[in-house]
Every structure is written in C-alpha cells, then in structure tokens.
C-alpha cells in the first residue's frame, strides 16, 4: 500500500531578499480554506500598506484543488503565478504566501521579476517549518522484560518512535506505525519474542514527526 506523505506548513515564517534596491518580503502562513487565506492577505496588505505591491499565492486541499494567485499590479504573469509554481513544485498543501515589494527605483524586467518573486518565496520557506503528514496506526505492545530489549532494537532499526512507555510487572509501549509497515513490524516483533508479545491495535490517523515528537491530526 502506498502511503504518500502530504507536505504542509507547520509553522509560518518570513524571508527577505533585495534585488537592485527593491525589497521583496515573503510572509507565509498555514491555512485550511480560501477564507483564511484572504483574511491573511488582507492583514499583510494592511501591515505593509505603503508598499508598491503585495502579490500572493495560496494552495489548499489535500490534492491542491484550490489554487489562487495575484500579481497585484506587477506585469501579468511575473509574480503570482511564479510564486504559485514554487508551492506546487514543492508539493505543498494548505498555505498562503504574500510577497511584499518596496520598489527600489530600478526596473527588473519580466525575467528579473519572476526570479525575484520565486527567490523570495524560497527564502520564506527556508525560514518556515514544513512537515510531512502521512497515514499511521497507533499500536500498543505489552511484553515482559525479556522481550523489551529485542523490541526496542527492532524499533530503532525501523526508525519508529515510542510515544509512551509504562513499566510495571510488564512493559507497555505505545507506538505510531506508518500504515504500510504495520504488519511488517508486527511479524518482526512476534518472531523476536517467540509470540509472547501482545498487540493492541488502535485507530488509524494522520501523523507527522517533528523534532522526534509525534503529532496526530
């Protein structure tokens, strides 16, 4: 089973570049709807009310079905669409970016504008946190103390994070398993513990790993 990750913005950020004295400031934010995107764009336009242009692009929906962009007075096709292309090329979902331009007095030409707006978006992304969300299954494993070391070795090999652990007369581990690896792990643990480990499968969810921590959506 293919478990294709969805790349989403976890924490928005901003980035700035300067091209021939023109300042390009990219500001990014996560969204769930067109209404949220438009509200953010309005907020940025109010914040940078004295700028020559506030161009934007946003993508929403698991399949990027909602796409919008605007050149906001720049020559047609030199800002909004190139910005949107960066988001689509990175396969990002549910985010909006506004690039604010303060004109520096020198014309950049159409090619120069395209490069500047795309470069600004890329700089903003570098200063944001993007995560990969995928389908997973929560699994609890109960084992005796003889089996826990073997299980931990298998988890380390497969790069699986332990969400919680309870040590009493037995050991109970709570795990998040990528959905396509669930049965592989179960078989490996069963073999390693000679069938003594007890499995309690939980719900199927969407999750992501951030700094070693599991986030459930």
């Amino acid at each position: 089973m293919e478990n294709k990750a969805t790349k989403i913005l976890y924490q928005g950020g901003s980035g700035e570049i300067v091209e021939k004295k023109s300042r390009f400031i990219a500001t990014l934010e996560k969204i769930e709807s067109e209404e949220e995107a438009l509200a953010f764009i309005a907020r940025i336009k109010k914040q940078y009310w004295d700028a020559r242009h506030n161009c934007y692009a946003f993508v929403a929906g698991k399949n990027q079905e909602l796409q919008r962009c605007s050149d906001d007075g720049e020559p047609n096709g030199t800002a909004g669409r190139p910005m949107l292309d960066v988001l689509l090329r990175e396969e990002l979902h549910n985010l909006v970016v506004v690039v604010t331009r303060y004109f520096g007095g020198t014309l950049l030409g159409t090619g120069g504008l395209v490069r500047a707006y795309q470069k600004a978006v890329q700089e903003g992304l570098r200063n944001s946190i993007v995560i990969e969300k995928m389908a997973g299954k929560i699994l609890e494993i109960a084992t005796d103390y003889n089996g826990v070391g073997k299980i931990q070795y298998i988890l380390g090999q497969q790069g699986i994070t332990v969400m919680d652990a309870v040590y009493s007369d037995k050991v109970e581990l709570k795990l998040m398993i990528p959905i396509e690896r669930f049965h592989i792990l179960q078989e490996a643990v069963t073999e390693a513990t000679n069938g003594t480990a007890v499995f309690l499968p939980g719900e199927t969810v969407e999750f992501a790993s951030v700094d070693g921590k599991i986030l459930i959506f």
Side-chain angles (χ1 to χ4, degrees):
M1 179 192 301
E2 182 183 5
N3 184 13
K4 182 172 173 56
T6 300
K7 291 172 68 176
I8 62 171
L9 191 70
Y10 177 64
Q11 183 176 310
S14 63
E16 179 177 339
I17 66 166
V18 177
E19 294 288 342
K20 296 182 178 178
K21 297 183 180 179
S22 278
R23 293 174 62 205
F24 294 84
I25 306 165
T27 312
L28 295 92
E29 181 75 359
K30 58 183 178 181
I31 58 162
E32 296 294 334
S33 65
E34 183 170 13
E35 291 73 23
E36 289 184 10
L38 295 176
F40 176 76
I41 293 162
R43 190 162 74 246
I44 295 300
K45 285 186 174 182
K46 185 176 181 180
Q47 179 180 347
Y48 295 108
W49 60 270
D50 57 340
R52 177 72 68 92
H53 307 281
N54 282 289
C55 307
Y56 67 79
F58 63 87
V59 179
K62 192 167 185 178
N63 298 309
Q64 299 177 313
E65 53 265 30
L66 178 61
Q67 304 174 13
R68 299 284 187 274
C69 61
S70 169
D71 294 313
D72 193 36
E74 292 282 29
N76 186 41
T78 61
R81 183 67 217 191
M83 291 164 58
L84 181 61
D85 285 342
V86 173
L87 304 184
L88 297 177
R89 187 166 61 243
E90 294 291 332
E91 298 183 329
L92 289 161
H93 302 253
N94 293 8
L95 78 163
V96 56
V97 57
V98 179
V99 176
T100 302
R101 182 190 182 190
Y102 284 94
F103 184 56
T106 302
L107 296 174
L108 300 182
T110 56
L113 284 173
V114 168
R115 287 189 294 273
Y117 277 101
Q118 290 194 325
K119 187 177 177 182
V121 174
Q122 290 161 350
E123 185 65 20
L125 283 171
R126 271 191 288 272
N127 295 318
S128 303
I129 300 176
V130 174
I131 62 175
E132 293 192 347
K133 184 171 65 171
M134 65 180 67
K137 197 171 187 66
I138 296 173
L139 174 65
E140 293 184 15
I141 303 177
T143 183
D144 56 28
Y145 280 83
N146 292 326
V148 68
K150 298 171 184 176
I151 294 173
Q152 289 173 332
Y153 176 74
I154 293 170
L155 299 180
Q157 278 189 319
Q158 298 196 18
I160 293 171
T161 301
V162 177
M163 297 169 63
D164 193 19
V166 177
Y167 293 85
S168 56
D169 58 324
K170 58 184 177 181
V171 181
E172 296 174 291
L173 303 175
K174 186 177 183 180
L175 316 172
M176 177 65 72
I177 316 295
I179 196 74
E180 77 281 2
R181 290 163 58 191
F182 181 79
H183 293 296
I184 296 172
L185 176 76
Q186 199 169 19
E187 289 174 4
V189 169
T190 298
E191 182 179 350
T193 61
N194 295 317
T196 61
V198 177
F199 301 93
L200 182 61
E203 60 183 323
T204 299
V205 297
E206 286 189 308
F207 80 99
S209 178
V210 181
D211 295 330
K213 295 181 180 180
I214 298 293
L215 301 177
I216 298 176
F217 298 89

